[in-house]
């Protein structure tokens, strides 16, 4: 049974590369063609560097932007994890554009990428996604990274980073000791975390000597936590 | 360094739900509309239950068919794994339709689902995918499951299955002892393995008490193997 503080592991996908197309490129030819084909308004369409590559040259900070596929695969990995199936994981996303997305652990995300994008577009437009019987599966609101950390409670903030100390059972046990931890994983394609995220971390841990895809880093950290948490219960 | 027998772990995604649209439904309305929109011939288009659901009612064994997204996410997970990055993994796919697909470990698959499907369609049409400088990244040929196992060599065949013995370090070490193992993971959405696959397994191991998504099962097994193999090297 969970205690009143909730699941022991809170996963926070940070600087997630998921945002609506910004107004300054709504009129670019590749954006217009893409939206026309899909019968959508650019205002309520996700930025996707696979399709809006040319238009994105007009934006700043593009090395981290326009990759909702990273968020999709990483969420599939996290929501399907044994830790989540056993009720010991809470999944949050904080996007580069400043949205905090909370995901009910029972959510079955669309497996197909286009449908995932459609769901995220609806979420960012409406602020929530609700089932037919009224259960809130997804919620989105604007929050800073620091505000989200405060909401998640006073647990150690563990940042996955290839410069960190090697992740080991004793290190994780020490961090979990006080009742739980917040695991922060970057969900952007290139570049490093912002200073705000780096400075918010209590400890940096690495799962491998070189940079890993976000979904691989997530699965390895969850796998190590499962070894500690699921064998004790 | 690898020995002459190749990497110690051979991952075989079995009964993979990836096939071209079969002739008996080429003329179904949803297949025709889908192919017309994408300007493709049904003959060289992947079956996808998200889009061909209605037409698939005319096929047999549909509970396992038409889910190339499962193969996509599982391959992203395997090719990005530390074990693969360290040259200790070989990745193979055997499809429900009887194709053996070999994947060069340096392959960077398309991250976007539609492009992955386009790549697989080209592979099944041409038999291989080659880089501009002549390197073969992907190869496909018709083979039975038994023939593929023979090609992979005389290693223990380990089937991930929720009915199996719990995967533990001593069990894996024993299986690896003789020089390597073949890890078989199901890549279909529902139902059980065929009798042929079940009977080919030397041992069944489980990573969790309930059925997991193929990519989660794969990441957990690779994570356990990495703990054993990457710390020793």
């Amino acid at each position: 049974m969970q205690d009143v503080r909730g699941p022991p592991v809170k996963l926070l996908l940070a600087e997630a590369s998921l945002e609506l197309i910004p107004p300054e490129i709504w009129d670019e030819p590749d954006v217009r063609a893409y939206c026309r084909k899909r019968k959508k308004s650019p205002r309520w369409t996700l930025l996707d560097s696979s399709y809006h590559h040319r238009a994105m040259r007009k934006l700043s900070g593009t090395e981290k932007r326009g990759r909702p596929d990273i968020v999709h695969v990483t969420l599939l990995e996290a929501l399907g994890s044994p830790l989540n199936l056993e009720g010991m994981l809470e999944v949050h996303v904080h996007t580069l554009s400043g949205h905090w997305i909370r995901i009910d652990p029972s959510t079955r995300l669309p497996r197909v990428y286009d449908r995932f994008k459609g769901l995220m577009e609806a979420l960012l437009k409406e602020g929530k996604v609700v089932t037919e019987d009224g259960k809130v599966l997804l919620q989105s609101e604007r929050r800073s990274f620091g505000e989200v950390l405060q909401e998640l409670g006073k647990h150690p903030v563990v940042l996955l980073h290839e410069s960190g100390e090697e992740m080991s059972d004793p290190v994780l046990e020490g961090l979990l000791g006080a009742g739980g931890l917040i695991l922060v994983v970057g969900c952007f394609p290139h570049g490093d975390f912002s200073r705000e995220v780096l400075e918010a971390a209590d400890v940096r841990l690495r799962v491998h000597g070189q940079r890993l895809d976000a979904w691989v880093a997530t699965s390895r950290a969850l796998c190590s936590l499962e070894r500690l948490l699921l064998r004790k219960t």
Side-chain angles (χ1 to χ4, degrees), chain A:
Chain A
M1 293 293 292
Q2 298 163 27
D3 67 18
V4 289
R5 294 165 302 186
V9 181
K10 295 170 204 283
L11 173 66
L12 175 53
L13 306 183
E15 302 195 51
S17 189
L18 183 140
E19 64 181 304
L20 295 169
I21 298 175
E24 56 264 45
I25 61 168
W26 286 351
D27 285 330
E28 290 297 312
D30 53 349
V31 168
R32 288 170 66 114
Y34 176 90
C35 292
R36 200 180 313 120
K37 194 171 167 190
R38 282 162 185 76
K39 302 186 177 91
K40 292 191 166 203
S41 155
R43 179 192 293 265
W44 301 118
T45 299
L46 285 189
L47 184 69
D48 188 329
S49 67
S50 285
Y51 302 101
H52 314 135
H53 189 71
R54 185 180 297 264
M56 282 179 67
R57 289 192 216 146
K58 301 211 169 173
L59 300 176
S60 61
T62 50
E63 66 170 8
K64 292 168 90 169
R65 299 170 71 178
R67 288 292 304 276
D69 60 295
I70 298 177
V71 185
H72 184 212
V73 176
T74 307
L75 284 177
L76 288 178
E77 187 65 50
L79 292 169
S81 68
L83 205 63
N84 189 50
L85 300 178
E86 297 296 334
M88 301 178 85
L89 183 68
E90 219 176 81
V91 181
H92 301 261
V93 178
H94 188 255
T95 71
L96 282 169
S97 54
H99 287 88
W100 173 31
I101 299 172
R102 281 175 285 173
I103 303 175
D104 186 88
S106 71
T107 306
R108 276 187 61 83
L109 287 181
R111 270 40 189 161
V112 164
Y113 181 52
D114 271 339
R115 301 212 169 143
F116 170 76
K117 290 203 290 184
L119 184 75
M120 290 296 118
E121 287 158 355
L123 173 66
L124 293 174
K125 185 174 184 183
E126 308 294 344
K128 58 186 174 181
V129 171
V130 182
T131 63
E132 281 183 9
D133 53 351
K135 184 174 184 181
V136 179
L137 292 180
L138 301 154
Q139 279 182 281
S140 165
E141 56 191 287
R142 292 196 74 88
R143 289 293 183 92
S144 72
F145 184 77
E147 287 169 337
V148 172
L149 280 187
Q150 275 201 320
E151 294 276 357
L152 299 190
K154 290 185 194 300
H155 300 295
V157 177
V158 179
L159 182 70
L160 293 194
H161 200 284
E162 64 271 26
S163 74
E165 181 187 353
E166 189 174 348
M167 184 178 286
S168 68
D169 290 353
V171 169
L172 285 179
E173 276 190 312
L175 289 163
L176 280 168
L181 58 77
I182 299 169
L183 180 69
V184 180
V185 183
C187 249
F188 48 86
H190 303 288
D192 201 354
F193 290 96
S194 66
R195 191 194 291 185
E196 182 185 17
V197 176
L198 291 173
E199 289 180 351
D202 294 308
V203 58
R204 295 185 195 180
L205 296 182
R206 74 163 189 272
V207 292
H208 189 61
Q210 55 184 295
R211 189 173 173 144
L212 298 172
D213 295 317
W215 52 87
V216 178
T218 299
S219 67
R220 294 311 181 275
L222 294 181
C223 178
S224 295
L225 288 162
E226 285 157 8
R227 286 175 75 102
L228 295 173
L229 290 167
L230 297 186
R231 294 196 175 171
K232 284 185 184 162
T233 53

